[in-house]
Amino acid sequence: MVHALELAAGMLAPGGQVADIRALDERAEFLVPPPGGGPPRSCGFLRETDEGIEYRQAEAALKEALARGVLTLVSEQPFTFRHHASSLPAMRAYLADTWTDAIIDPDVAAAIEAALAAAGPGAELVLRESGWMRVLTAGS
Amino acid sequence: MPDIQVDPEREEIDLLLASCTRLPGGRVLEVGCGSGRLTRLYARAAGAVLAIDRDPGRIAQALAAGQAPAGRVVFRQASILDDPPARDGPFDVVILSWSL
């Protein structure tokens, strides 16, 4: 991962920027907002089979690149990243295609189904995760 | 609603455009572009985009999706580690798109 950062820095034009966009090492949460508005109902969290190892490796690589002067931090900011699905099967299919180590545990799936049923027609399922965006320049 | 909507609140793209001052009109390399979801959102602001992903299936999806400005975006199956596109650079912005 550090090598990828070195390569990225090496391909920058003078004054160029690296934008590192990624998820934080926090569990993504399933929510069902009421169609008419109001606070969403929490249905539990997505489980990942690697238990955050990749997140921690990426963070360690960036810290090493900063410490070695490969890159210099310009700015960093968190943001919320949401995936909206029309149903639990739609969410399952989407995750199977895009998030290979994601698991919806049976108790979470049951809570989602119950929340969607209680919310009624037009309800949607939201998977909310925390993202982090850093802008960096090549180190001196 | 469509079956899936990703970031309809636009928090990611708005933050990217606000944070990357070199992106407007610039040459951009996006690493880990996947199906080009984010690429299509910023491509009109950029001057030229090379979007790479090591998964040929994702690149096929990106090409099939269209919607990227013609002549401004190139999708290519490549890995920054195994096949770094240095000859296409230098770049004003390198986006590591959920890929580090």
Side-chain angles (χ1 to χ4, degrees), chain B residues 4-85:
Chain B
I4 294 290
Q5 294 183 78
V6 179
D7 191 30
E9 297 84 3
R10 294 180 54 89
E11 290 199 26
E12 176 196 38
I13 184 61
D14 288 348
L15 182 56
L16 178 67
L17 293 174
S19 303
C20 269
T21 55
R22 295 293 302 272
L23 192 150
R27 290 182 56 80
V28 178
L29 169 66
E30 182 181 352
V31 179
C33 66
S35 60
R37 174 194 60 80
L38 181 60
T39 320
R40 290 188 287 276
L41 295 177
Y42 69 77
R44 290 190 188 283
V49 179
L50 173 59
I52 66 172
D53 199 289
R54 62 186 175 187
D55 183 341
R58 295 292 182 220
I59 292 298
Q61 290 177 344
L63 292 169
Q67 301 174 22
R72 194 177 297 178
V73 179
V74 173
F75 289 106
R76 182 187 301 165
Q77 191 266 317
S79 159
I80 191 172
L81 291 174
D82 302 330
D83 184 22

